Amino acid sequence: QAEDGIRDVERSRGLGDVYKRQPITCIIGGSKVSTKIDIIKNLLPKFDNIIIVGAMANNILNYKGNPIGKSLKEENCKSVIDEIFETAKKNSCLINYPEDVVVGKSINDKAIIKELNEVSNDDLILDIGPKTIKKIKNPYKLIFTGVGPHPSR
């Protein structure tokens, strides 16, 4: 079902030609990894890099043993994340996730940049940090291709 949706998007947006350009990167976010597992698994063979952001990145950070404070995360998703990393490895797709974050005590609090190991129990991860942005922008010279609706539209 998810694969059919991707094929429909490929046809409607002409992404067949995009897949021919290398390297190619996909940025994916949202809150639940489990609802996007089929889409992510379908994208892994087609992209060189997948950048995971948003609340979905909190799940990855937590899975990797990093503190995420009181940030949104999905419970019981270890097996789903295991599957994502195993499929990525088989397809030589690099999974990128935050190296640093912007936190606050609430969504309206003053934002502070922190290294992953500095996140406190009462911190709320609000965004990726400047090191992560630099990593995404500079070393790869990535080709970004947007697919699907933007959440702010």
Side-chain angles (χ1 to χ4, degrees):
Q1 195 174 22
E3 192 169 314
D4 291 340
I6 293 293
R7 277 196 294 271
D8 289 344
V9 170
E10 289 171 353
R11 282 192 295 273
S12 68
R13 302 236 175 130
L15 292 182
D17 290 336
V18 171
Y19 292 138
K20 295 176 189 171
R21 299 187 335 197
Q22 297 293 324
I24 187 164
T25 297
C26 174
I27 300 176
I28 189 164
S31 60
K32 292 189 172 186
V33 175
S34 63
T35 61
K36 294 171 185 73
I37 183 69
D38 290 333
I39 294 170
I40 294 169
K41 284 172 41 183
N42 188 44
L43 294 173
L44 289 169
K46 298 177 181 182
F47 289 87
D48 299 292
N49 303 285
I50 295 203
I51 301 169
I52 299 178
V53 296
M56 189 183 298
N58 298 339
N59 294 303
I60 303 291
L61 294 175
N62 186 265
Y63 171 87
K64 293 288 189 177
N66 295 294
I68 61 167
K70 59 183 181 180
S71 304
L72 182 64
K73 74 171 184 146
E74 184 177 4
E75 296 298 326
N76 305 314
C77 64
K78 182 187 178 311
S79 63
V80 172
I81 296 173
D82 282 337
E83 193 173 346
I84 289 170
F85 277 97
E86 287 169 19
T87 305
K89 186 175 181 177
K90 287 178 193 170
N91 290 283
S92 300
C93 180
L94 180 63
I95 302 289
N96 293 275
Y97 50 90
E99 291 184 0
D100 61 339
V101 291
V102 176
V103 301
K105 301 303 179 193
S106 72
I107 197 159
N108 298 318
D109 196 19
K110 181 180 183 219
I112 300 169
I113 299 164
K114 288 191 174 184
E115 297 295 318
L116 295 179
N117 64 346
E118 298 173 335
V119 176
S120 305
N121 288 339
D122 61 344
D123 282 335
L124 180 64
I125 298 174
L126 304 171
D127 206 345
I128 60 176
K131 278 182 12 183
T132 303
I133 292 169
K134 185 176 181 181
K135 177 184 173 187
I136 291 169
K137 285 173 62 174
N138 294 336
Y140 297 110
K141 306 284 186 220
L142 303 173
I143 298 169
F144 290 98
T145 304
V147 177
H150 188 277
S152 65
R153 291 186 189 150

